[in-house]
Amino acid sequence: TASLAMGGGGGGVSHGGGGGGGARSDTARLFVGGLPHDCVDDDLASLANQLTFDLPPQSCQILECRVLPGKGCGYLRYASWEAAEEAYAALQGRQVEGWTSVLRVQWATPKGSEGPAQGGGRPDASSIAAIMQHPQGPMDPICFATLAEVEAQGCEPTRLFVGQIARDAVDAGNVLKPAFESFGHLVEWRWVQEKGVLYAAYGSFQEAQAAMQGLCSRVIPGISKCLNVKFSMRRGF
C-alpha cells in the first residue's frame, strides 16, 4: 500500500460517488503525475484516503479516482474546489514510500467548464493528459540506470536531450513543455526548431529520470513518431 507521511489529525477522505459537488464540482479536478506505471485506481485511492482536510466531510468526497493504465498518471476529482486545493498542496512534490518519482500535480479543467482561474503559472493539464494517452514504445535500459551509471557514461544526470521532433512542428516547444513540467521545475527549456531537438534540464536526477521514463518513445501525432528522450552528454566529455 502506498504510504505518504502527512501532517494533521486523523480521519480520511470518504471515497464515493454521488452528488454534493454543486455546479463547480467538475472544475475541482486534479491531474496527478509521477505515479508508477503499474499503479491502479485502488493505489491512487489508497493514497488519497490518507489526506486530511479542514473542511466538512461532504466537501471532501472523491467523485473521481482514475489512473490511466501504464501511463504513470491519473485524475482525482473532489466535491469542492476547496478540497481540491488542499489536496493539491498536500500531494504536490511529495515522495511516496516505495514509488520512484515524486508526485506532480496539475489542475485539470475540462473543456467548456467554468470555474476559478488557474493561478500561479500552473500548466494546463489538458495538454499533458493528451500526450500521456499516446502509445509508448520500448525504453532504453538507461531510463532505469542509477545516478552513478549515468555519470559513468559521460551524461548530465539532470539534463535531457529530446530528439525525433518534426522540424515543421513549429509549436513543438509549447506543446511539449507542460508535459515535461509535470515531472518537476525546469531550469532550462530550449527548443532548437531548425534541428528538431530540444533540451530540458531539471533540479534533480530523479525528476529528469522520471521525465525520461514517462515521455521516451511516445508517439505524439504532428510532433513525433517516436519521441527520443535521453540524458544529454556532458559538455566537453
Side-chain angles (χ1 to χ4, degrees), residues 31-161:
F31 173 90
V32 184
L35 305 178
H37 283 254
D38 58 356
C39 184
V40 296
D41 293 353
D42 286 347
D43 296 325
L44 183 56
S46 174
L47 185 67
N49 280 325
Q50 295 177 48
L51 304 183
T52 57
F53 295 85
D54 295 322
L55 296 167
Q58 65 270 23
S59 299
C60 306
Q61 280 192 328
I62 300 176
L63 304 181
E64 178 187 8
C65 179
R66 181 168 61 93
V67 170
L68 303 180
K71 306 299 183 184
C73 59
Y75 292 98
L76 287 172
R77 183 163 63 91
Y78 286 89
S80 72
W81 182 261
E82 293 77 14
E85 288 200 319
E86 290 193 19
Y88 180 103
L91 295 173
Q92 169 67 348
R94 292 299 186 98
Q95 180 70 58
V96 178
E97 184 179 349
W99 292 4
T100 304
S101 303
V102 297
L103 297 175
R104 292 298 169 189
V105 184
Q106 313 291 343
W107 293 103
T109 303
K111 290 181 180 179
S113 69
E114 300 200 4
Q118 297 183 31
R122 298 165 182 151
D124 181 1
S126 59
S127 57
I128 303 171
I131 288 175
M132 300 303 284
Q133 289 274 18
H134 293 304
Q136 185 173 29
M139 288 186 280
D140 189 285
I142 199 171
C143 289
F144 305 97
T146 65
L147 173 60
E149 290 170 339
V150 171
E151 291 180 327
Q153 294 191 33
C155 297
E156 296 186 69
T158 60
R159 189 170 187 257
L160 301 176
F161 167 90

Side-chain angles (χ1 to χ4, degrees), residues 71 130-138 164 176 214-228:
K71 306 299 183 184
I131 288 175
M132 300 303 284
Q133 289 274 18
H134 293 304
Q136 185 173 29
Q164 298 296 323
L176 293 173
L215 297 169
C216 183
S217 301
R218 285 209 183 271
V219 177
I220 305 176
I223 301 293
S224 177
K225 295 180 180 179
C226 182
L227 199 64
N228 179 21

